């Protein structure tokens, strides 16, 4: 197995990388008495914090009130402004009543069987009595994915505790409430003797009312097989009164009925359930009186994984009741401009840059700052593989490419400059649950050998893999591997097929190149892939033994088809390990798979009665409490979607998570061979340093330094200068740098990147011709034949600039989170802090890139020799 530093990239993997994504980017509720507005207080930054006292009282037979419970609760949210669909924000609380009977799955209807939870949901409107009624928040504008979460239909005596609510108005105290605006034929007869019904209809953004008395009278997004799983959560509070969740928001793209957008104000409502306050008992006291005063069946901190019955009065299903609704916290949130903003508001043709998906989240925020300013151009960042984007730039189809390493130029091509544009990277994202309904696992540690085992398909997956030649005694999945267990104690060892693989990319990517460089520079991982068993006897899949590293794509090399009596597999014979790996074309698809805990494993058998045949497809979403799924994600996606990321081993006993400090440390270690070339992070240096994050990557704007017309050159130079100045200001607004990126500064550890970007911008704008060659004239990108020139700029290099450029030494006070193996403390997750107008031209552009790439395949060469020859 050969190893080397990251090389310049060739075009061999171009045909596998043609998938491209273009990015641009009230009335009081029925039956509810008037109550004080919910507290809402946003800090000067993007966060929220508020406190209030929530309480429960009983009125006795004499009319006297008796306090039952009182809690001073504080609620916080880490982000509230310029949010995007499916983005997750961290909501935490303290001082709440401890929960009992923890549900195995707290989301949607499955989370109703627990006591004293904290209900978190998304609602349209604001908690502001000065607003017009239609813009005010109310239970009817709060989203739930099921009837059971918002309505109580035909409940018998003893199950109608809401009717004895101290704060309920006369309507809610009646046998049937909430049906005033419901058409007669929408619901079954509700006025049934000895039964009570309380409906909380849902009112859509368009004003349509869904009665919510049955599954068929719910909005379309609440269908059983809806595209997205429920986001509303009945969250658990620990015995100290604390809790937190990563709450996923939905825009009007994901939930049109709810309708939240940059134009429609919405809120996150947080309701600590302390139980119904109960009115003076009727005479004689009814069973509903007793039900109202119930105080729970489960002890604080206990589990209810089997979904046993609870006391409804202290459960989450009655969040809409007056007693609970009055205790709400309302967190105002705003949404950023939609991805098609530039298409809608700017009629100018876009200027398309092509390449790395690592810059996607930054591009979503940057694009409006260009198209909404008529002094700038209409920016469009189109996602392709790095090499495909580079080829489009080289052959003149695109003015610039966004890449994260030096690419191999065609012989005789124009010189190319690489301007540092963003510091970000990749991570191994995960969703893993602790056993016994103990919540999420939050400090996953991985070393290079474990990742090598996953990529090389060396886990067996299930009993189907036991017949594989040479590795039949290997563990079935990662949770069964003693090496993994040693690093991550206390996890379930129940095998899951999804834990035998890490979801990765099917096409060329600089991310895969850097990941495999990390493996190549790790002695244990390299030895394992070279055929040496690990200390517990696990062996590499023979199909991957001595695979060349690093490499820009990870191939599916295994050919094992299990012999089995299973009728489905006999009708659908397939390479089993390829079904487990099932790579995808974009990093975003991987992030969404993690977000939904939906592995891309393709081993589910379904029988079609109409054809009497079996078909094989994607497995089901994993159940909350039993999740174990891993994937290679961008740090930008991880930050937006709130994904947890693993700490990676850099040297024995040292694990480093992606943080500002660890990523800046990696930049300090990076070296630039010549001006206007990329900075190279040598994974051997990362291992020696121990404090730098191995997945750190710099995204560059690559453009020709000759042959561009003046206007195009000025456009690219403008992008470099704006993106490295105002584009490096952290924030969630247009033109700012989102989470998941480290700012490039004019001073400090990243100053060399800033200086290099300005140097390249000047060279792009200058378009200095080759000696004896006239300046280009005419044509959109210039047609002058400039002859051969080196990728570093040829004669553009100033005298004395050939010496390697090294980032300044790291400040002695800067350090990344470093954990010793014996230290049980959690590793922090990622904390660093789409206009589709490619249209009909895009296939033609890609075809041009493909043709250009194929012409060059036979003549491309490495300008950087393998390690040891440089």
């Amino acid at each position: 197995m050969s190893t080397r530093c990251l090389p310049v990239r060739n075009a061999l993997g171009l045909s596998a990388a043609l998938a491209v994504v273009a990015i641009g980017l009230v009335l009081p509720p029925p039956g509810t008495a008037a109550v004080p507005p919910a507290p809402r207080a946003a800090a000067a930054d993007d966060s929220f914090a508020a406190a209030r006292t929530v309480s429960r009282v009983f009125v006795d037979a004499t009319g006297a009130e008796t306090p039952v419970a009182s809690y001073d609760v504080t609620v916080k949210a880490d982000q509230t402004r310029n949010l995007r669909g499916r983005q997750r924000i961290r909501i935490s609380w303290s001082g709440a009543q401890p929960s009992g009977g923890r549900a195995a799955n707290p989301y949607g209807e499955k989370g109703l069987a627990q006591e004293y939870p904290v209900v978190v949901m998304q609602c349209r409107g604001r908690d502001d009595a000065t607003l017009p009624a239609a813009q005010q928040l109310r239970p009817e504008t709060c989203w739930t994915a099921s009837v059971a979460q918002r309505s109580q239909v035909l409940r018998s005596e003893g199950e109608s505790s809401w009717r004895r609510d101290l704060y309920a108005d006369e309507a809610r105290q009646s046998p049937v409430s909430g049906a005033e605006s419901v058409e007669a034929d929408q619901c079954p007869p509700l006025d049934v003797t000895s039964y009570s019904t309380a409906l909380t209809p849902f009112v859509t953004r368009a004003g349509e009312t869904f009665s919510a008395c049955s599954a068929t009278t719910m909005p379309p997004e609440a269908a059983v097989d809806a595209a997205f799983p429920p986001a509303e959560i009945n969250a658990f509070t620990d015995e100290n009164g604390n809790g937190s969740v990563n709450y996923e928001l939905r825009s009007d793209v994901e939930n049109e009925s709810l309708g939240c957008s940059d134009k429609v104000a919405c809120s996150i409502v947080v309701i600590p359930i302390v139980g119904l306050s109960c009115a003076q008992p009727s005479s004689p006291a009814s069973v509903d009186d007793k039900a109202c005063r119930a105080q729970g069946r489960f002890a604080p901190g206990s589990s209810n994984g089997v979904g046993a019955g609870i006391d409804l009065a202290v459960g989450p299903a009655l969040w809409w009741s007056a007693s609970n609704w009055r205790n709400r916290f309302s967190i105002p949130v705003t949404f950023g401009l939609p991805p098609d903003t530039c298409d809608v508001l700017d009629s100018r043709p876009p200027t398309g840059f092509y390449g790395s998906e690592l810059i996607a989240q930054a591009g979503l925020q940057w694009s409006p700052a260009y198209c909404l300013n008529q002094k700038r151009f209409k920016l469009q960042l189109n996602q392709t593989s790095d090499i495909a984007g580079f080829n489009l730039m080289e052959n003149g189809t695109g003015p610039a490419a966004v890449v994260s390493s030096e690419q191999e130029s065609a012989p005789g091509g124009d010189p190319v400059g690489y301007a540092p544009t963003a510091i970000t990277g990749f991570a191994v994202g995960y969703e893993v649950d602790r056993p016994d309904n103990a919540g999420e696992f939050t400090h996953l540690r991985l070393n290079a050998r474990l990742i090598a085992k996953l990529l090389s398909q060396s886990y067996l997956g299930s009993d189907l893999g036991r017949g594989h030649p040479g590795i039949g005694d290997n563990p079935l999945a990662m949770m069964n591997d003693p090496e993994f267990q040693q690093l991550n104690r206390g996890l379930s060892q129940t095998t899951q097929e999804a834990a035998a693989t890490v979801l990765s990319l099917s096409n060329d990517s600089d991310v895969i190149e850097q990941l495999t460089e990390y493996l190549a520079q790790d002695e244990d991982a390299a030895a394992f892939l070279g055929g040496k068993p690990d200390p517990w006897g696990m062996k590499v899949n023979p199909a991957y033994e001595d695979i060349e590293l690093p490499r820009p794509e990870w191939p599916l090399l295994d050919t094992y088809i299990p012999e089995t009596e299973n009728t489905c597999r006999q009708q659908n014979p397939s390479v089993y390990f390829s079904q487990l790996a099932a790579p995808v074309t974009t990093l975003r698809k991987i992030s969404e798979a993690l977000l939904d805990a939906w592995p891309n494993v393709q081993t589910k058998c379904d029988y079609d009665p109409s054809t009497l045949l079996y078909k094989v497809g994607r497995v089901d979403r994993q159940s909350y409490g039993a999740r174990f799924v891993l994937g290679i994600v961008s740090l930008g996606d991880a930050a937006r979607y709130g994904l947890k990321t693993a700490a990676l081993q850099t040297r024995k006993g040292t694990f480093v998570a992606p943080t500002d400090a660890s990523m800046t440390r990696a930049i300090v270690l990076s070296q630039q061979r010549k001006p206007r070339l990329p900075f190279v992070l040598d994974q051997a240096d990362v291992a020696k340093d121990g404090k730098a994050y191995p997945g750190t990557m710099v995204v560059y704007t690559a453009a020709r330094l000759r042959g561009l017309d003046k206007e195009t050159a000025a456009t690219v130079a403008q992008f470099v200068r704006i993106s490295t100045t105002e584009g490096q200001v952290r924030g969630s607004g247009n033109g700012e740098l989102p989470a998941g990126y480290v700012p490039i500064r004019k001073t400090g550890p990243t100053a060399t990147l800033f200086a290099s970007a300005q140097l390249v911008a000047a060279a792009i704008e200058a378009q200095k011709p080759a000696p004896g060659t006239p300046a280009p004239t005419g044509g959109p990108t210039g047609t002058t034949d400039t002859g051969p020139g080196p990728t570093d700029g040829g004669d553009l290099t100033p005298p004395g600039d050939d010496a390697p450029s090294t980032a300044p030494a790291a400040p002695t006070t800067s350090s990344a989170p470093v954990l010793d193996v014996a230290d049980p403390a959690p590793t922090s997750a990622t904390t660093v802090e789409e206009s589709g107008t490619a249209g009909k031209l895009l296939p033609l552009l890609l075809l041009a890139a493909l043709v250009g790439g194929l012409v060059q395949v036979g003549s491309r060469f490495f300008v950087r020799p393998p390690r040891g020859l440089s």
Side-chain angles (χ1 to χ4, degrees):
M1 179 176 59
S2 63
T3 62
R4 49 190 167 84
C5 289
L6 290 180
V8 289
R9 297 287 310 284
N10 61 38
L12 295 176
L14 178 63
S15 60
L18 295 183
V20 180
V21 180
I23 65 169
L25 293 154
V26 108
L27 296 175
T32 302
V35 296
R40 52 188 183 88
D45 58 10
D46 210 10
S47 61
F48 167 95
R52 75 177 305 165
T53 300
V54 300
S55 60
R56 185 185 192 190
V57 298
F58 292 165
V59 178
D60 63 21
T62 68
E65 290 190 1
T66 301
V68 177
S70 180
Y71 296 89
D72 295 324
V73 181
T74 298
V75 171
K76 298 179 179 180
D78 66 347
Q79 301 175 72
T80 60
R81 298 200 298 265
N82 298 310
L83 304 173
R84 300 186 183 277
R86 306 218 71 187
Q87 181 170 347
R88 292 203 286 193
I89 64 174
R90 190 72 171 175
I91 297 175
S92 61
W93 57 91
S94 60
Q97 176 154 340
S99 303
R102 185 174 195 157
N105 184 345
Y107 289 94
E109 185 174 356
K110 293 182 178 180
L112 294 179
Q114 54 188 331
E115 296 174 338
Y116 300 109
V118 171
V119 177
V120 186
M121 57 178 54
Q122 185 174 341
C123 307
R124 188 177 63 255
R126 288 279 196 264
D127 232 334
D128 186 347
T130 66
L131 292 173
Q135 298 176 24
Q136 292 186 33
L137 178 152
R138 51 196 175 109
E140 288 81 4
T141 64
C142 290
W143 178 261
T144 67
S146 71
V147 173
Q149 293 172 261
R150 61 187 313 110
S151 296
Q152 298 291 314
V153 180
L154 297 177
R155 302 298 295 264
S156 63
E157 292 184 9
E159 297 178 325
S160 310
S161 52
W162 69 86
R163 295 183 59 190
R164 305 303 302 153
D165 188 338
L166 172 63
Y167 303 109
D169 64 10
E170 184 176 351
R172 269 301 191 218
Q173 295 173 20
S174 63
V176 178
S177 62
E180 297 81 5
S181 60
V182 176
E183 296 181 13
D185 59 347
Q186 286 187 338
C187 300
L190 301 177
D191 192 5
V192 179
T193 303
S194 299
Y195 288 87
S196 298
T197 292
L199 304 182
T200 306
F202 181 78
V203 179
T204 70
R205 170 71 180 91
E208 183 178 2
T209 298
F210 287 85
S211 61
C213 59
S214 67
T216 59
T217 57
M218 288 287 288
E221 296 87 350
V224 174
D225 295 323
F228 304 104
E232 63 277 11
I233 183 172
N234 304 305
F236 200 78
T237 302
D238 67 21
E239 293 180 71
N240 296 317
N242 303 320
S244 63
V245 295
N246 282 338
Y247 186 81
E248 179 185 327
L249 288 99
R250 304 280 167 83
S251 70
D252 57 355
V253 174
E254 296 83 28
N255 192 329
E256 184 179 359
S257 295
L258 182 59
C260 299
S261 69
D262 61 307
K263 296 181 175 63
V264 178
C266 286
S267 303
I268 301 300
V269 171
V270 179
I271 306 175
I273 302 296
V274 294
L276 297 180
S277 291
C278 301
Q280 185 174 358
S282 56
S283 182
S286 69
V287 290
D288 282 340
D289 285 315
K290 297 178 180 178
C292 181
R293 295 165 190 266
Q295 298 187 50
R297 309 178 190 181
F298 291 86
S302 61
S303 180
N304 186 19
V306 297
I310 66 164
D311 285 337
L312 186 65
V314 296
L318 303 185
W319 61 267
W320 43 264
S321 67
S323 284
N324 287 321
W325 187 248
R326 73 195 311 270
N327 286 333
R328 72 192 180 277
F329 290 77
S330 178
I331 305 174
V333 295
T334 64
F335 281 79
L337 295 174
D340 63 351
T341 294
C342 288
D343 291 338
V344 173
L345 300 180
D346 188 350
S347 60
R348 295 176 297 173
T351 299
F353 292 11
Y354 297 84
S356 178
E357 192 181 351
L358 291 176
I359 206 171
Q361 297 302 333
L364 283 173
Q365 290 189 190
W366 286 351
S367 293
Y370 288 83
C371 70
L372 301 183
N373 185 338
Q374 291 300 308
K375 295 182 179 179
R376 299 177 180 176
F377 63 100
K378 183 178 179 181
L379 171 66
Q380 184 182 82
L381 293 172
N382 301 298
Q383 298 169 19
T384 69
S385 68
D386 296 66
I387 185 60
F390 189 83
N391 287 339
L392 288 167
M393 177 275 297
E394 266 205 314
N395 65 27
T397 305
V402 282
V403 299
S404 41
S405 72
E406 184 180 355
Q407 308 295 308
E408 188 178 323
S409 290
D414 294 319
V416 174
Y418 295 79
T421 306
I423 301 172
T424 183
F426 70 88
V428 179
Y430 67 94
E431 285 292 344
V432 175
D433 290 321
R434 295 184 291 168
D436 302 323
N437 204 20
E440 300 176 338
F441 190 68
T442 58
H443 52 279
L444 192 73
R445 296 171 174 176
L446 297 176
N447 60 31
R449 183 163 57 197
L450 286 171
I451 297 174
K453 292 175 179 180
L454 292 165
L455 287 173
S456 64
Q457 302 178 4
S458 296
Y459 293 112
L460 303 180
S462 71
D463 287 340
L464 289 172
R466 292 195 186 277
H468 193 293
I471 58 172
D473 294 329
N474 280 2
L476 295 180
M478 178 178 276
M479 69 267 294
N480 311 120
D481 186 344
E483 183 171 20
F484 176 78
Q485 295 168 4
Q486 190 177 82
L487 297 179
N488 303 277
R489 301 186 184 279
L491 292 178
S492 171
Q493 297 181 29
T494 303
T495 302
Q496 296 188 54
E497 284 183 315
T501 187
V502 56
L503 186 55
S504 186
L505 292 170
S506 59
N507 52 321
D508 271 21
S509 172
D510 281 1
V511 168
I512 300 301
E513 185 120 31
Q514 180 146 328
L515 174 62
T516 55
E517 170 73 3
Y518 168 64
L519 305 185
Q521 293 303 318
D522 182 87
E523 181 179 345
D524 292 337
F528 178 80
L529 292 172
K532 180 181 177 180
D534 75 1
W536 299 269
M538 182 173 175
K539 301 176 182 178
V540 68
N541 184 333
Y544 288 90
E545 187 171 341
D546 286 324
I547 187 170
E548 183 181 6
L549 298 180
R551 57 190 307 116
E553 41 72 39
W554 191 263
L556 299 179
L557 300 178
D558 194 80
T559 59
Y560 170 69
I561 300 176
E563 294 183 6
T564 175
E565 299 300 319
N566 182 281
T567 304
C568 175
R569 298 204 70 87
Q570 288 177 342
Q571 290 184 3
N572 301 274
S574 299
V575 176
Y576 178 55
F577 287 179
S578 294
Q579 291 178 310
L580 295 180
V584 295
T585 55
T586 66
L587 294 171
R588 177 168 180 171
K589 290 181 179 179
I590 300 175
S591 295
E592 291 176 341
L594 296 180
L595 189 60
D596 295 336
W598 193 4
N600 201 44
V601 173
Q602 304 289 321
T603 59
K604 181 183 178 181
C605 282
D606 285 316
Y607 180 71
D608 186 350
S610 63
T611 62
L612 305 181
L613 296 174
Y614 287 92
K615 61 180 180 179
V616 177
R618 189 176 184 180
V619 298
D620 295 330
R621 291 185 175 103
Q622 293 179 335
S623 299
Y624 191 92
R627 297 174 298 176
F628 198 117
V629 58
L630 308 171
I632 308 300
V633 299
S634 72
L635 293 180
D637 284 353
R640 171 178 172 180
Y641 298 123
L643 302 175
K644 293 179 285 295
T645 55
L648 302 182
Q649 181 173 276
T650 55
R651 61 187 179 195
K652 298 295 184 182
T654 302
F655 293 82
V656 181
T659 65
D660 272 12
S662 64
M663 295 171 68
T664 300
R665 186 82 178 192
I667 295 302
V668 168
L669 296 176
S670 302
Q671 293 192 357
Q672 187 181 37
R673 184 168 61 87
K674 287 185 178 181
R676 290 184 283 275
L677 287 184
F679 291 74
V680 177
L681 175 62
D682 192 326
Q683 292 293 335
D685 293 336
V686 172
K688 292 176 184 177
D689 177 79
K691 299 178 181 180
Y693 178 64
T696 305
M697 301 180 72
V698 178
V699 179
Y700 302 87
T701 301
R704 290 185 292 159
L705 303 182
R706 296 185 189 133
L708 293 180
D709 65 85
K710 183 177 181 180
E711 181 180 355
T712 301
T715 294
V716 177
Q718 182 188 55
F719 172 75
V720 172
R721 288 166 179 148
I722 293 174
S723 65
T724 54
T725 51
E726 65 182 67
Q728 300 299 315
V729 177
R730 273 189 162 153
S732 59
N734 295 336
E736 295 179 332
L737 189 71
Y741 299 82
V742 175
I744 297 173
R745 305 292 193 196
K746 188 175 183 179
T747 59
T750 61
T752 51
L753 272 66
F754 178 86
S756 180
Q758 309 318 307
L759 178 69
V760 173
I764 293 171
E765 189 168 42
Q767 290 293 297
K768 183 178 179 181
T773 304
T777 57
T781 58
T783 57
T784 302
D785 182 6
T786 60
T791 60
D792 64 290
D795 60 319
L796 297 173
T797 304
D801 275 359
D802 285 339
S805 173
T806 305
T812 57
T813 57
S814 175
S815 63
V818 178
L819 299 177
D820 186 270
V821 171
D823 180 7
T827 301
S828 61
T830 305
T831 56
V832 286
E833 316 212 304
E834 291 150 357
S835 92
T837 57
K840 297 180 180 179
L841 289 177
L842 191 51
L844 298 177
L845 299 182
L846 292 174
L847 180 59
L850 176 59
V851 172
L854 292 177
V855 169
Q856 297 169 16
V857 164
S859 56
R860 294 239 168 171
F861 61 98
F862 288 110
V863 300
R864 288 179 56 196
R867 184 183 305 281
L869 298 179
S870 57

